[in-house]
Amino acid sequence: MNNVLLTTIKKQFKKNELFSASDIKGKTLSAITIKEELVELVKQGQLKRFSYGFYYIPGEGEPKASDAIELRYINNGSEVYGFYTGDCFISVLNGSSPTDNDKIEIMTNKATSGKKNVYMFSRRFVLRKPYVKINKINVSINSFLSYITMTPLDKVKENYSILASFIKKAHLAATDVMELASSYPSKTASKLLASDLYRCLWKH
C-alpha cells in the first residue's frame, strides 16, 4: 500500500521539497493510514523526516529551516496564510531570503496571540497575528500595511524608494489600500501621508 502513496508523493514533490500529510493531493487513504504509511516509508529510507509532521524525498543535502518555516506559516504553494514582516519584509522586497543572522518576524493566520516568540527548526523567530486575515488576494496590501504600521516613520522614509517600487510592481491602488487600512490602527493612514507613500498609490 505504501508503494501507491510513494508514487503519489513522487509525482507531486521534488527531491528535498518539504511536505506534510495534508499537502498530499489525490489521496484516497484515511489521514491515520497515511501517517502510518509515512512512518513506514521513513523506516524503509524512501522518505526522510525533517521534523514533526514534515517529510521529504531524499536528495543531495537537505531542506533548509527557512523552507520549513515558510511551509508551516507562510504558504504551501497553493494557499497563502502568512508573510514576512519587519526588516525581513524589506529583505524580501530586495530579492533576498532571510539569513541565519536575521531577526525573523512573520504575520500568519496560524498565530493565536498578538505576538509569540517561537523556537522551531533550530531557529528563533516571532509570530504575529495579522490585523486582517491573510489570503492570496490581499497578501500584497496586507504585508505593505503591516510593515507601515509596525515600523517607525523615520525608517519608513528611509526605505521609501523600495516601498514605492513595491507599490508600482504590485499595482497597489489607493482605494484598495485605504479600504483595508480601515481595519488597521489610525496611525497607519497617518504614516502613509507623512511618508508621502500615499501619493505613490495614485501614480500608476
Side-chain angles (χ1 to χ4, degrees), residues 71-125:
L71 178 58
R72 178 165 291 218
Y73 294 112
I74 296 179
N75 75 80
N76 62 6
S78 57
E79 292 180 89
V80 176
Y81 35 83
F83 50 76
Y84 288 110
T85 193
D87 290 340
C88 283
F89 176 66
I90 297 298
S91 295
V92 170
L93 295 192
N94 281 327
S96 302
S97 298
T99 68
D100 290 342
N101 297 321
D102 289 333
K103 177 185 176 183
I104 295 178
E105 292 187 77
I106 296 170
M107 285 270 188
T108 177
N109 296 337
K110 298 190 177 185
T112 55
S113 59
K115 178 182 177 183
K116 184 178 180 180
N117 293 304
V118 177
Y119 183 77
M120 190 180 293
F121 312 121
S122 301
R123 288 297 308 269
R124 295 188 186 280
F125 52 98

Side-chain angles (χ1 to χ4, degrees), residues 8 16-17 26 33 36 56 63 75 79 86 95 100 102 107 113 131 155 172-173 175 194 200 202:
T8 301
N16 288 350
E17 182 180 359
T33 301
E36 292 174 348
Y56 65 96
N75 75 80
E79 292 180 89
D100 290 342
D102 289 333
M107 285 270 188
S113 59
Y131 292 95
K155 199 162 187 178
L172 304 190
T175 51
C200 293
W202 293 95

Side-chain angles (χ1 to χ4, degrees), residues 7-47:
T7 299
T8 301
I9 289 170
K10 286 185 173 180
K11 285 181 180 178
Q12 292 181 34
F13 307 103
K14 302 173 185 176
K15 289 183 178 180
N16 288 350
E17 182 180 359
L18 291 172
F19 65 89
S20 65
S22 61
D23 296 323
I24 304 171
K25 297 180 176 63
K27 51 189 183 289
T28 57
L29 304 175
S30 68
I32 294 176
T33 301
I34 287 174
K35 288 181 180 179
E36 292 174 348
E37 292 295 315
L38 288 172
V39 170
E40 187 60 32
L41 287 169
V42 170
K43 289 180 180 177
Q44 295 172 9
Q46 299 285 354
L47 298 178

